[in-house]
Amino acid sequence: MGEKVGRYRWKICALLFFATTINYIDRQVLALLKPVLQDPASGIGLTEVNYGYIVTAFSLAYALGLLVVGGFIDRVGTKLGYAVAVAVWGLAAASHALVSFPSVVAPLGEIIHSLGSALGLKGLVGVSGAVAGFAIARFVLGLGESGNFPACIKTVAEWFPQKERALATGIFNSGANVGALIAPLAVPWIAIHWGWRWGFLFTALFSATWLVFWWRIYRHPREDPKVSAAELAYINSSPPESTIRVPWTRLLSKRQAWAIFFGKILTDPVWWFYLFWVPGFLSRRYGVPIGRIGLPLVVIYNMSAVGSICGGWLPGKFQSLGWSANRARKTAMFIYALAVLPVVFVGKMQGVWTVVALLSLAAAAHQAWSANMFTLASDMFPRRAVASVVGLGTFGAALLMAFISTLVGYVLRWTNGNYAPLFVVCGTGYLTALLIIQILAPKLEMARLD
């Protein structure tokens, strides 16, 4: 069947996979280089509070980007819209390498000090020009990276029939796990042998290379001469779907949407915490040097990939036993929430590999939970509203992360680098989220939007 229809659409899916991989590599570089940048010899002298400001800038931009990037891509088209998003985050990644130069940081320092004095914000007065430069670069990076998943979803809708879209989405989304695995192996090696600036420049080079392939290869399927008539007919074989957009105001009137919203804002920031803060935690608490930090992180993120796969398998197994979708889904999510709980002890553990084991379990359980959060949306909303519901929850989570990141920096300063209370919060949010979901959606009934 594949030979008769053609397989060109999978080349497009491969482009989406590589872009998502680059997206997650770019996202992790600063976290991996944090121990180096905290060393005064780097010329940056990054503090925990300053790092919190920088992560806040990224999270805030990511949240704002989610509000506008989908409409932008719809207006200009997938090819140009995705290219602009990748170009923006590639340039932002490269610009990180500039923030240690006096000609860049001196004027930024003056501007941030003047702004802090004018607004009466004492925290800004003490921020260096280098930290301000990183914050600006991360803000632009967040804006660009917010376009990745909306562009990927739109591309899949254009290139795949309905019955293959879940598989195509799973393939490109696996690039997130691959990126999380590659970054801890590549970035520290680059920093040791070439300097920390090249950690950012190499990822920008990957983005530029991908852009060349995207611009030369991508066309709409009906405009691409490499797509056979049989494959084009197969792509368009799905029955027409309603494209009427459901406004957020209507979604917010449904308790099912609030169940998804609270489920995501209470748990999504935990994954971001693992991405942005765990490398620094391992370095500071256990003295893991940057050259050896890759292996523990690879173990953690490999387990998260296993959790992502098992997350969808377990409720399906329960349903095969005759359980209802509601019982199967929530029982699986309860198991995942319990599996996260041991992470509350991470701050008290002494052995680094014991900590890695607990973090691996928590990361795997989170990804299993996250897979079911996406499925919950499709359980309770028609297909045309699922992306909007998930986007609403992701926006709320990113906005909350913007606040939490600054708070984390201050908590670490107030406690002299004690991560224990932070891991307690990470471990307890899932049971709270499941309780709220049960209250708001006790039977997983389909929301009535029309």
Side-chain angles (χ1 to χ4, degrees):
M1 180 66 180
E3 293 295 334
K4 293 179 180 178
V5 170
R7 297 175 176 173
Y8 191 78
R9 62 195 181 281
W10 295 107
K11 294 182 180 180
I12 301 301
C13 187
L15 286 173
L16 304 182
F17 167 83
F18 286 117
T20 305
T21 300
I22 296 168
N23 183 284
Y24 264 74
I25 293 175
D26 279 341
R27 195 174 298 193
Q28 275 194 282
V29 173
L30 185 63
L32 293 167
L33 295 178
K34 178 186 171 187
V36 175
L37 299 174
Q38 288 180 315
D39 188 342
S42 67
I44 304 298
L46 196 65
T47 68
E48 295 288 2
V49 171
N50 290 340
Y51 181 74
Y53 289 153
I54 294 169
V55 177
T56 290
F58 174 89
S59 304
L60 182 60
Y62 195 86
L64 295 176
L66 289 172
L67 294 178
V68 299
V69 71
F72 170 74
I73 293 173
D74 285 337
R75 285 194 298 273
V76 304
T78 308
K79 181 174 184 176
L80 178 58
Y82 204 179
V84 169
V86 176
V88 168
W89 93 51
L91 290 172
S95 67
H96 286 70
L98 302 176
V99 301
S100 63
F101 293 102
S103 59
V104 175
V105 300
L108 286 177
E110 294 178 3
I111 292 172
I112 202 71
H113 293 166
S114 300
L115 186 62
S117 300
L119 298 177
L121 300 175
K122 295 181 180 180
L124 288 181
V125 175
V127 172
S128 68
V131 171
F134 273 127
I136 293 171
R138 296 307 278 186
F139 186 89
V140 179
L141 183 73
L143 287 177
E145 290 201 347
S146 68
N148 183 71
F149 287 96
C152 285
I153 295 297
K154 185 174 177 64
T155 303
V156 167
E158 291 176 348
W159 272 89
F160 289 88
Q162 183 180 353
K163 61 184 178 182
E164 286 186 345
R165 289 175 189 169
L167 175 59
T169 300
I171 290 173
F172 85 69
N173 190 48
S174 66
N177 288 325
V178 174
L181 292 173
I182 292 175
L185 297 175
V187 172
W189 187 92
I190 292 171
I192 290 172
H193 291 85
W194 298 83
W196 65 264
R197 295 178 186 85
W198 281 99
F200 296 105
L201 293 174
F202 264 95
T203 58
L205 181 61
F206 296 152
S207 299
T209 303
W210 182 90
L211 271 173
V212 172
F213 282 97
W214 173 258
W215 198 254
R216 294 189 62 173
I217 292 174
Y218 188 83
R219 293 178 178 85
H220 194 280
R222 65 173 175 267
E223 300 170 354
D224 198 320
K226 295 181 180 179
V227 178
S228 67
E231 186 170 12
L232 183 61
Y234 181 68
I235 292 170
N236 296 323
S237 62
S238 301
E241 301 178 29
S242 174
T243 57
I244 300 175
R245 184 177 178 272
V246 182
W248 280 17
T249 51
R250 186 179 301 174
L251 292 176
L252 290 174
S253 68
K254 305 299 178 182
R255 52 186 172 79
Q256 293 94 330
W258 285 102
I260 301 297
F261 180 80
F262 283 112
K264 289 188 72 64
I265 68 168
L266 289 174
T267 58
D268 276 13
V270 175
W271 178 248
W272 285 36
F273 177 81
Y274 294 155
L275 286 177
F276 295 146
W277 298 89
V278 164
F281 164 70
L282 293 176
S283 175
R284 178 167 183 166
R285 176 69 185 275
Y286 300 100
V288 180
I290 187 172
R292 297 181 182 178
I293 205 168
L295 182 58
L297 294 177
V298 166
V299 171
I300 293 170
Y301 297 135
N302 259 320
M303 289 302 297
S304 74
V306 173
S308 183
I309 296 170
C310 294
W313 172 83
L314 186 57
K317 183 65 174 179
F318 287 152
Q319 285 186 274
S320 70
L321 299 176
W323 292 17
S324 67
N326 181 51
R327 181 186 178 191
R329 184 87 55 219
K330 290 177 180 175
T331 300
M333 294 179 73
F334 179 67
I335 292 172
Y336 304 146
L338 290 179
V340 172
L341 272 178
V343 83
V344 302
F345 300 110
V346 164
K348 301 296 183 181
M349 293 294 176
Q350 299 301 318
V352 62
W353 286 105
T354 303
V355 167
V356 168
L358 292 180
L359 287 172
S360 297
L361 178 62
H366 169 85
Q367 289 293 60
W369 168 280
S370 183
N372 281 271
M373 284 303 306
F374 285 114
T375 311
L376 274 180
S378 61
D379 286 341
M380 297 188 292
F381 287 90
R383 191 176 297 109
R384 63 191 173 97
V386 169
S388 295
V389 171
V390 173
L392 181 64
T394 305
F395 166 76
L399 201 60
L400 181 62
M401 187 62 190
F403 167 76
I404 290 175
S405 298
T406 294
L407 180 61
V408 167
Y410 277 102
V411 168
L412 292 176
R413 187 172 76 176
W414 295 332
T415 61
N416 196 27
N418 183 8
Y419 282 78
L422 301 175
F423 284 111
V424 170
V425 174
C426 289
T428 55
Y430 297 81
L431 288 173
T432 304
L434 185 58
L435 176 61
I436 294 174
I437 291 170
Q438 176 61 23
I439 293 172
L440 294 175
K443 297 181 180 180
L444 298 188
E445 297 173 335
M446 182 66 70
R448 297 182 180 181
L449 300 178
D450 299 320

